[in-house]
Amino acid sequence: QMEDMGLIPRSVVLDKQTGVIGPADSPVLQAVAGAPCLRLTRLRYGSDEPIALQTAIVVTEYCPGLENCDFTTESLYDVLSRNYQLEITEIVHAVSAITADKQQAELLRVAVRAPLLRVTTTAYLESGSIIELSVAEYRADKYEYTTMHSSR
């Protein structure tokens, strides 16, 4: 996405933990409750400006050892494809508007209550199994969300 906007992407990993999907997780993940997961929080940059704060929960029963990858330099989806031969065949995005809280404002270098776009992404494998749920808060002044529908 950053490259599509003409920016040079990079990430800073703020937190990386293994665990299991639990009752406090999103309802969409409850179908795999108890499954092992990786919780990955990254600050996403475009050309050295913070653009988004993203937290991903990846179901790791399909990709054991994922926590050993360096997500400051590697794309999660590239690793899933290259290292684990996992093909994401469906992605669902939900976009909403929010305002920055104190932590988001500090990390994204915006004012408290600045507008943000929250993009919740759910990714599925060909089998229909969920592989990832992520929530990203994007700076509304630095990010544009575009969709395209074709009848081809």
Side-chain angles (χ1 to χ4, degrees):
Q1 291 173 329
M2 296 299 171
E3 289 170 346
D4 290 344
M5 295 187 309
L7 302 173
I8 299 166
R10 78 175 173 91
S11 296
V12 172
V13 174
L14 301 178
D15 191 37
K16 183 168 66 167
Q17 298 178 28
T18 58
V20 296
I21 305 296
D25 288 314
S26 170
V28 75
L29 290 168
Q30 293 311 304
V32 291
C37 69
L38 173 67
R39 298 171 193 277
L40 178 65
T41 301
R42 295 174 286 177
L43 187 57
R44 312 302 296 268
Y45 285 81
S47 298
D48 293 323
E49 275 196 272
I51 303 292
L53 178 61
Q54 180 185 50
T55 299
I57 301 173
V58 184
V59 179
T60 55
E61 67 183 284
Y62 310 108
C63 45
L66 185 67
E67 69 276 5
N68 298 318
C69 294
D70 181 3
F71 292 108
T72 60
T73 59
E74 295 190 89
S75 156
L76 173 61
Y77 286 11
D78 287 348
V79 168
L80 292 175
S81 174
R82 183 182 62 244
N83 296 14
Y84 298 97
Q85 292 72 53
L86 294 173
E87 183 180 351
I88 294 172
T89 57
E90 183 179 357
I91 297 176
V92 178
H93 296 289
V95 181
S96 58
I98 63 167
T99 57
D101 64 21
K102 186 177 181 206
Q103 179 188 23
Q104 293 161 334
E106 287 174 11
L107 290 168
L108 294 171
R109 298 185 202 153
V110 296
V112 172
R113 302 197 44 78
L116 302 177
L117 290 176
R118 174 174 283 158
V119 180
T120 302
T121 301
T122 311
Y124 297 89
L125 299 173
E126 189 172 21
S127 65
S129 300
I130 189 169
I131 184 70
E132 181 227 14
L133 174 74
S134 71
V135 177
E137 285 96 18
Y138 289 89
R139 288 177 51 170
D141 64 332
K142 298 289 182 184
Y143 183 74
E144 178 179 290
Y145 189 83
T146 304
T147 63
M148 182 180 87
H149 300 277
S150 176
S151 60
R152 290 191 259 172

